[in-house]
Structures are given as structure tokens and as C-alpha cells.
Amino acid sequence: MSMLSLERVTKRYRVGAFGGRELTAVRDATFAVKAGEVVSLIGESGSGKTTLGRMVLRLASVSGGHIRFDGTDVSRLKGRKLAGYYKHVQGVFQDPFSTYNPIFKADRVLHTIRPTFFPEVSAAEWRKRIDTALESVRLDPRQVIDKYPHQLSGGQLQRMLIARALLLDIKLLVADEIISMLDASTRIDVLNLLADLKERGLGILFITHDLSLGHYISDRAVILRRGVVVEMGTTDKVFGNPRHPYTRTLLSSVPQMHHKWTRADIARTIDGSCAIHDGGACAGEPQLVEVDDDHLVGCAAH
Amino acid sequence: MSLRVDNLKVYYRTLRGDVKALDGATFTVADGEIMGLAGESGSGKSTLGKSLIRLDTRMRLVEGGVELDGKPLPIGDQDAMNAYRFKAVSLIPQYAMSALNPTRKIGKMISELLGARGVKYSEIKPELERRLDLVGLKREVLNNYPIELSGGMKQRMVLVLSTLLNPSLLIADEVTSALDVSTQRAVAETLVEFRDREFVKSMIVVTHDISLVYQIADTIMVMYAGKLAEKAPADVVVNAPRHPYTQLLISSLPEVGVRYADRKLAGIPGSPPGLLNPPAGCRFRDRCPLAFARCVEEPPFVEVDKNHHVACWKAQ
Amino acid sequence: MSDLARAAGEETAPSAGGEVVSAPAVPLATGPVAAAAPGARRTRDALHFALRNKKVVGGGIVVLAFLALGLIAPLFYDYGHSEYVGPQSSGPSGEYWFGTTTFGQDVFLQFVHGIRSTFLVGLLGGGLAALIGMTIGFVAGYIGGLVDEALNMLTNIVLVLPALAVLIILHTYIGITSVPSQALFIGIFSWPWVARAVRAQTFSLRTRDFVDLARLSGMGSGAIIRREIAPNMSSYLFMTFILLFGGSVLFAATLDFIGLGPTGVMSLGLMMNNAVHWSALQLGLWWWFLPPGLGITAIVGALYIMNVGLDEVFNPKLREM
Ligand SMILES: Nc1ncnc2c1ncn2[C@@H]1O[C@H](COP(=O)(O)OP(=O)(O)OP(=O)(O)O)[C@@H](O)[C@H]1O
Ligand SMILES: Nc1ncnc2c1ncn2[C@@H]1O[C@H](COP(=O)(O)OP(=O)(O)O)[C@@H](O)[C@H]1O
Ligand code: SF4
Ligand SMILES: [Mg+2]
Ligand SMILES: [Mg+2]
Ligand SMILES: [Zn+2]
């Protein structure tokens, strides 16, 4: 059974003067994340990735649909119950320097969770747990404890946030573009760390606009375009046999290290054929259709 | 030879002393060359780019000189540089998209900018419109406000604008990093097109993303901690790099096709040295798996092969 | 120079963290240093600059000197400030440093008592206004939405209420008899601008990721405001309090001067009121009205100068490099 499942999750924002207009940032998103699985959520900027991640983390309210975690509907939890949810579900965000309050020492983020989640654990015992957690994200406690955020590198900060999640009884991690602000040479370490965690049974919702990163780490991929899921399935199928024209455009534009862009890959994408309505009229229905085992595609009109 | 930079050192003044952000760079960019400039955050890429255009109040030219088209470029003299900016050298700064004045229509902004350079807007307008057509922007964008343009449109607009007077050299600092892959590709290809049409003679394209710059650049130069590490034709840097840093960097980049399950990539342990008091000798020494006794001396940036410069004792 | 000019290679000097409160959300061309620097170093730098800032140090000395005078000097007198102790209308002398009033009261003693109530009204009135303004500002800015709109309306109402007229009416009905009750009224009327400023700052801080992280730690709104947002604005809140303090002192002086002050308590405003009432000006008793006027000017002036100095300390843009 899936650990996290989204059912027609929708987010509408009120925008414009007096909130007069409505903007649908995410529409009818339906997918799931299993334990020990990395699901990449891929899409260009503004496609609604962050909004989806924030709804799963309940930092944004859910306008429609349901989010279930281990079978319970969490989309409208409040107060204590919500805190209980946070014991199992945590997030790491894009900008490490904004995730830490600049005026406090960085390791404060490891201490603030104790009073809420583990009031019974003594401070000394907690410090021991912190050391263990830091070591499991390959940070040397002596190097990172008692430092201000600006004294640590982006990679160290992101790892410390992952350590924070590990201190809890974490089952699902929402990672929103967590390595896009890191340097090439440290990116891969954080990515490998996520992969290790997944092997220990953690579910990860990996949000990215970088297809190479998504491909490297994930088991399944969800392609989001203007708030709508246009294609999803196992990574092999989505990347190896993309069926939606949008996925193809994305893939052909990815710069590759040992292969230069050619006109041919453009030509491949101009073929906007619909996987559902072969040559027929595309009405743009929102439903995804299963074109292969665990490979769903939406109508090309989306 | 379009651009020749000779032992350029530019430091930032701070309360705690000089940050040696660019510490002796010597290289050339040929006519018609697009040079990619890569390196980690803080390695001095933007500092190098800015030095060729305008030193801000905190930057200090310590040593070195720059020649453009055979004539010295007075980079230390801000007033004298005025005659060159925009006409001979143009820079698209990092975050240029958000730097567009949101309260001015684009056409108005352009005319003001040209006015300040003593160029009549009406004279240049036909050429401006031709170039807008070329990059696929409607002429109406001149009547739009910057916020009405998408990221890719803004970036193309800035590109057209900064090359309007056909400068010899264009420095593009991270012009594609905020864009999605498909828009990124369109903008990158526009850069090449501008070079091919000789709107600019040569370009320095600053980026984190080696696989992107590999698509469009003739040569790639890699910086590490304020120094040049390697410069070579793009294919050579990607396929046969000689500097250990470049080698590790290239091998740590995931590409579509590489899966964690099949091949686990490795990063470079450690982090770059601070530039306030950088260590003597090779600055990559702490992280370099090949470091040996001699590396306490600073390796010179020398040509080890035709057009292939490396600063590493092991590569010589 | 237009921003487009920057885009075309006309790079201006980098705009270092312009906000008082936080590093810029988008680090401009200054690179990682500007993005990451503030923090501990900021506090240390602030102290470093504060102790070297002539305005802060000078203003602070003046304020502290007056405070010490007001606290200590009255202890040396065995008579009260309204007792008729000396010759009438005599000028400054060795015995009565600031001379005496038409009735033979000691002007110096009145002056130091006046300083006491001036500081009291500044602390209480400023403190209350700070408390109300900050609470409303934090709540409106953090929660937003309807709560924000309601609080905004309340702020606007108080802002347009003619405070003086209301006070006159209240005074005639209730009577403002003590310094604390005067401070209460002043506090109730001087918070709106604080609420607005704090709301705006909170608004920009609450979108930072560290607030989200605090929510993921199970912290409630109150805790987040107290433990994450307010500490980030401490320098700003401190300056706000200084301004409120000065404002309350002036407000109280005005009230005392027009006869709406507390009874039985000496204040600098009341001294001026008495001096004018008994024609000290026409009689040439300059020692009666000059000290209170100069005292208020000096205290408030020193506070404002300190505030300007603090602005320079906390705002890197104004720091001289
Ligand atoms: N205004 C400044 N004052 C002091 N130091 C600075 C300033 N701007 C940059 N630096 C320092 O100079 C060095 C080089 O910075 P630069 O902006 O050139 O890096 P970069 O390679 O362009 O990085 P990025 O990839 O993040 O844009 C860094 O160590 C940086 O911290
Ligand atoms: N707080 C908000 N208020 C209004 N619109 C928003 C808000 N947050 C996001 N949006 C809009 O929702 C859409 C999706 O945004 P986001 O989820 O941030 O995309 P991504 O993370 O994929 O870049 C965008 O059009 C964005 O402008
Ligand atoms: S000079 Fe030495 S330390 Fe530097 S890169 Fe070469 S081998 Fe490594
Ligand atoms: Mg996002
Ligand atoms: Mg840069
Ligand atoms: Zn269809």
C-alpha cells in the first residue's frame, strides 16, 4: 500500500485586487509515494511543484481533494494531530540560507524539535542522538555544532536539515529543489545521501526542474505542466519512452555532457501526437490514461 | 586576438582584509570565440566578468592589464571606461532579469539608455526591430513593462539590448540559470546565433552548468578559488580534462541516462579555501587526490598542449 | 541610472543589504558574501560600530546624565518641590542653583523632579505604545487575511482620531491624575505607526523558509512570532522604542503645558505652564522657564540623535566604509 497518496489534489490561489481572480496552481494531482521509493516531481518553474510539496507538508492549505498518509486523511489536520503528522513527514527547502534563521546558531534547528516531539528525552540524551544523526548524514559534529549558518556551506546546511528529519520518526521527506543552490561538486553527495536513506525505507518526494537529477535518483517520475500532471510512471518508462509531447520537449532540451544538441532532436518534439487520441480530436480531458504497465499519459492538448 | 587578459588581480576590500577573488588570471579569447567560464560558487567568475566592465567601489585593481582588439582597456579608470562600456564591452549581469526597472516601458528604457550613450533611438530602431524578430520577440514588447514578459523573453530582451551597438566582447553572467530547460536551450542558441551574425565578436559565458556551456562554447575555462585551473577547447575539457579538479567535477555531474542504481557518482570531498587568506601553493591541494610534495608551490598556468592550458604540476 | 542600464553593462555599485532587518532576499551581484554574511557577525559589527558612532555614544551620555540627575538629585533635599522654601523670585545662586519661583519654590528641585516624571512617562507611554503597536503589527502581519484587514481598520481609526480632542474630553470627565494614567492615554494613541511598520516587516519575514521550518517543528503562531520573527527585528524594535519614548515625552509636555497634566506631580511641562501662567516671561524670570524647555529639548534631541546613529549602525548602507 502506498504511504502517501494524493487524490485529485487541487490548489487555488486568490490573486488580483481584493482577491477577485482565481489562479489554479495545481489541478487534480493524483499520484502516490511508497515507502522506500523516490518519486521525482519534475516541471518547469511555475508549474506548481512547490505548491504541491507545500500542500503535502500542510504549509499551504488544500483547496480540493485529499492527501492520505498511511491511510489517514491529513489534508485538514490541525493542532496536535498536525504536529503528530510532522513527526513522520518533514521537508527540506531550496535555499539553505533562508531555511536557517540567520541570527541563531545553525544547530538550533536540531534542538527546537525536542520540546514538541520528545519532551521526555533528556537534553544530554538528545545531544547524543544529535551526534548520531549528524554522523549518519556524514557531518562531523565538531565541525558544524556551534556555528552560525553563514559559517557553514550550503551542502552542510542541507545535510543538517536532513539530520533534523532523521531525529524524528521520519517516513516521508519532501525535498524541494534541495540541491539547486549547491555547487556541482557537493550536489552529488547530498543526492547520494538521499539515495541511502531511501534504501533504509524512507519515502522521498524529490522536487526538481533538473531532469538529470530526477533521472539519477528516482524510481518513479511525475511530470507536471501548468499545475497538471501530464505523464507519470516508472523512471525508465517516462525517460526511456516519453509519450507526452511536453516530456519529449523537456528531454530533448536537456544539455548532455557528451552529446551536442542537434536539429534532429528538435524535430522529434515537433511531432505533437497525442498518446490517447491518435490523430483524433483532443478535447483536453484531465484524466490520465494508462498506456503501459505503470505508465500514465495525459492528452497532448494539456 | 580579441581579448587578452594579463595577470589580472582584483580584490574586494572588506573590514577583515582583502578578499582575493581574482588572483592572477592570464588568458586570451580569440575573435569569434565563445568561451564558457565555469567553476563553483565563489570561485571568482563574476568578479572576472565585472572587472572587464566596471570595478565597483569595493573592488580594487591590484595588478595586471587587459587588451581589447590590440588596444589596452583602461579597466582601472572608471571614467575612461565609459567610452568602452556598451560599445566595445557589454555585460549581462547575474540576476539581470530582476534588475530591469519595473516602472518603465521597455522601449522607453532603451531610448534613455541609448541617449546616455549619445545614440539616437530613432536611428537604431529599425535594427532593434530586426533583432527582435530574429530572437522571436514581437515588436510590441517595446510597449510592455518588464513584468509582462516571461523569464525567457526578458533574457532575450536583455541580450538584444546589450548587443545593440555590436560590442567586441559580451560577458553573459548566468543568463540561463533561472530558466527551464526548453527556454534555456532557446536562449543559449540565440547566443550562438548572435556570434554567427557578428553582432558580437567574442563572448564569455559564465555558468555553473558545464553541460549547458558545452553545447555552445568553443572553449571552456575552469576557475577554482580565484585562480584559473584549466582552459581548453570544449570537447577536450569534457572528454579529456587534465586538471584534477576539472576531472572530478566532470565525473560528478549526473546526466540523463545515469542512474544511482547503475552507477553511483562521487562528489569532491571538502570545500574550497576561503579567499581572505588563501593557502599558499596550489589552492586545490587540500581536496586533490593527486597532491604531492611539489604542490606547496603554486603551479603556473601553462600550455600543455595546443590551446590547452592547465595549472597543475601533475599535468606538465 | 536606469536599471536597464545595469543590464547592459552599466553595473552600479552593489546594493548591500538595504533592509534594516534582514539580508536582501535576492542577493545582488555581491555574491555569496552578501547572501550569507549577517548573523552573529552583525551583532558584533553593530556593537563595534555603535561604540564608535559619535551620535550613539554622545546621545547615550546625555540621556544617561539626565536620568542619573533625576534619580539621584531629589534624594539630597529634605523639602518638597512645591514647598515655599526660599526668597521669592531670586535668580540662580549657590544655594538655589536655578533660582526660585515667584512663590519661593526651588526651581532646581522642580527641575529634577520634572525629569523623573519625564522619564517615567517616556518609559510607560512609549512602552505601552510599543506593546500595543508591536502586538497588532505582528499578529496582522503574520496571520494576514481577514485578521489583518480588521486590525488594519482599527489602526486607521486610531490614526485619524484627534488624540488631543479625545484627551481633553476624557480629562474633563475622568481626570488624569497621575503620571501612569497620563502615560496610559498617551500609549493608547501613539501606537498606529508602529503597528504599520511592524506589520510590513513581519509580512516580509513570514515568507522566509525558516518560518516554515518552525511550523514543521510543531511551533504555534505565537511561538514563531516570539522566537523566530521578533529576534530578527530586534534592532528595528529597539529604534522604534526610542522614537516612542521621545514622542511620549513631547506629548506629555504638551499636555502638561496646556494644563491637562496630572495633579500634584511636577513635570517639565507643568513647570513651563506655571512659568507662563505667572508671567515669568514678562517678569524676566528666565531661570524659571529656560531649564524645563532646554531639558525637554536636550532629552528628546539626544534620543533622536541616538536613533539616527543607531540607524547608521544597523544599516550597512549608511555605514561609512
Ligand atoms: N562585494 C564583495 N565584497 C567582498 N567579497 C566579495 C564581494 N563580492 C564577491 N566577493 C567574494 O569574492 C569571491 C568571488 O565571488 P564571485 O561573485 O566572483 O563568484 P562567482 O564565481 O561569480 O560565484 P557564483 O557562481 O555564485 O555567481 C567570493 O569569495 C565572494 O565571497
Ligand atoms: N502564495 C501564492 N499566492 C498566489 N499565487 C501563488 C502563490 N504561490 C505560488 N503561486 C503561483 O502558483 C503557481 C505555481 O507555483 P509554484 O508551486 O511555486 O511552482 P514551482 O515550484 O513549480 O516553480 C505559479 O503560477 C505561482 O505564481
Ligand atoms: S598542483 Fe598538485 S594539488 Fe594542485 S591540482 Fe595539481 S596535483 Fe593537485
Ligand atoms: Mg519551486
Ligand atoms: Mg557569479
Ligand atoms: Zn489528446
Side-chain angles (χ1 to χ4, degrees), chain A residues 54 57-59 83 86 90-91 93 95 97-104 108-109 112-113 116-117 148 150 161 164, chain C residues 25 35-42 44 208-219 227-229 231-232:
Chain A
R54 289 174 58 84
L57 288 171
R58 291 295 323 278
L59 294 170
Y86 287 150
Q90 281 290 325
F93 310 114
D95 180 356
F97 292 100
S98 148
T99 317
Y100 287 80
N101 202 332
I103 62 172
F104 297 119
R108 176 173 179 266
V109 301
T112 45
I113 48 178
T116 320
F117 299 110
Y148 284 95
H150 71 269
L161 286 173
R164 171 180 169 283
Chain C
R41 195 167 290 159
R42 190 177 50 189
R44 213 182 324 131
R208 300 278 211 96
D209 289 342
F210 62 75
V211 170
D212 285 336
L213 196 73
R215 288 169 68 187
L216 291 183
S217 304
M219 267 194 221
R227 290 165 54 190
E228 303 282 342
I229 294 183
N232 255 288

Side-chain angles (χ1 to χ4, degrees), chain C residues 205-291:
Chain C
L205 280 175
R206 75 155 186 194
T207 57
R208 300 278 211 96
D209 289 342
F210 62 75
V211 170
D212 285 336
L213 196 73
R215 288 169 68 187
L216 291 183
S217 304
M219 267 194 221
S221 303
I224 291 177
I225 290 174
R226 267 184 293 113
R227 290 165 54 190
E228 303 282 342
I229 294 183
N232 255 288
M233 300 170 49
S234 49
S235 62
Y236 186 79
L237 299 179
F238 185 53
M239 292 199 289
T240 307
F241 178 70
I242 286 196
L243 287 178
L244 284 173
F245 186 101
S248 302
V249 168
L250 280 184
F251 201 168
T254 315
L255 293 179
D256 297 343
F257 184 73
I258 60 175
L260 292 180
T263 43
V265 181
M266 188 43 69
S267 73
L268 297 181
L270 188 60
M271 278 176 79
M272 295 215 287
N273 177 320
N274 289 341
V276 170
H277 192 86
W278 302 106
S279 318
L281 213 55
Q282 291 85 334
L283 298 175
L285 307 180
W286 54 268
W287 55 85
W288 193 357
F289 59 83
L290 227 48

Side-chain angles (χ1 to χ4, degrees), chain C residues 37-221:
Chain C
R41 195 167 290 159
R42 190 177 50 189
T43 327
R44 213 182 324 131
D45 279 0
L47 208 64
H48 169 98
F49 282 102
L51 294 179
R52 269 160 199 73
N53 189 299
K54 293 198 187 81
K55 296 185 182 109
V56 175
V57 174
I61 289 177
V62 171
V63 171
L64 285 180
F66 272 103
L67 180 63
L69 191 67
L71 287 180
I72 298 166
L75 306 178
F76 292 98
Y77 290 81
D78 48 11
Y79 51 85
H81 57 75
S82 46
E83 284 177 43
Y84 309 128
V85 289
Q88 295 176 350
S89 310
S90 77
S93 64
E95 194 175 353
Y96 304 105
W97 293 353
F98 285 5
T100 57
T101 67
T102 348
F103 312 102
Q105 295 148 316
D106 186 340
V107 176
F108 182 72
L109 186 58
Q110 293 198 335
F111 179 66
V112 293
H113 271 282
I115 289 174
R116 271 191 178 187
S117 52
T118 290
F119 272 97
L120 191 62
V121 88
L123 281 176
L124 290 179
L128 183 67
L131 193 71
I132 303 177
M134 286 171 194
T135 308
I136 291 187
F138 278 132
V139 171
Y142 184 74
I143 295 177
L146 280 178
V147 176
D148 179 33
E149 276 171 38
L151 290 176
N152 221 353
M153 203 178 327
L154 177 71
T155 310
N156 287 333
I157 290 173
V158 177
L159 202 61
V160 298
L161 269 187
L164 211 54
V166 176
L167 268 175
I168 291 173
I169 296 168
L170 282 176
H171 187 71
T172 40
Y173 285 100
I174 309 170
I176 296 166
T177 49
S178 67
V179 175
S181 65
Q182 185 184 38
L184 180 73
F185 286 115
I186 292 177
I188 286 175
F189 280 101
S190 11
W191 58 265
W193 69 267
V194 182
R196 289 198 158 180
V198 170
R199 171 184 172 272
Q201 298 277 7
T202 309
F203 223 72
S204 80
L205 280 175
R206 75 155 186 194
T207 57
R208 300 278 211 96
D209 289 342
F210 62 75
V211 170
D212 285 336
L213 196 73
R215 288 169 68 187
L216 291 183
S217 304
M219 267 194 221
S221 303

Side-chain angles (χ1 to χ4, degrees), chain B residues 15-16 41-42 50 53-54 56 58 85-86 90-93 95 99-101 109-110 112-113 117 158 161-162, chain C residues 1-14 16 26-30 32 41 44-45 49 319 321:
Chain B
L15 281 178
R16 280 162 282 277
S41 186
K50 280 192 277 177
I53 263 273
R54 177 191 294 273
D56 65 43
R58 288 199 249 174
R85 288 186 195 118
F86 202 35
S90 232
L91 169 82
I92 307 178
Y95 313 110
L100 289 173
N101 184 342
M109 258 193 290
I110 298 179
E112 282 173 2
L113 181 71
R117 294 262 156 263
V158 172
L161 170 62
S162 51
Chain C
M1 177 167 41
S2 86
D3 283 336
L4 197 66
R6 293 171 50 108
E10 291 286 276
E11 250 241 281
T12 48
V26 181
L28 287 175
T30 44
R41 195 167 290 159
R44 213 182 324 131
D45 279 0
F49 282 102
R319 271 181 202 167
M321 275 289 287

Side-chain angles (χ1 to χ4, degrees), chain A residues 166-187:
Chain A
L166 295 182
L167 281 167
L168 302 166
D169 184 11
I170 178 99
K171 293 183 180 163
L172 174 76
L173 188 71
V174 177
D176 187 358
E177 309 255 14
I178 61 168
I179 54 177
S180 62
M181 307 232 337
L182 303 185
D183 282 318
S185 69
T186 42
R187 274 181 175 197

Side-chain angles (χ1 to χ4, degrees), chain A residues 274 276-277 281-284 299-301:
Chain A
C274 180
I276 306 174
H277 312 96
C282 286
C299 172

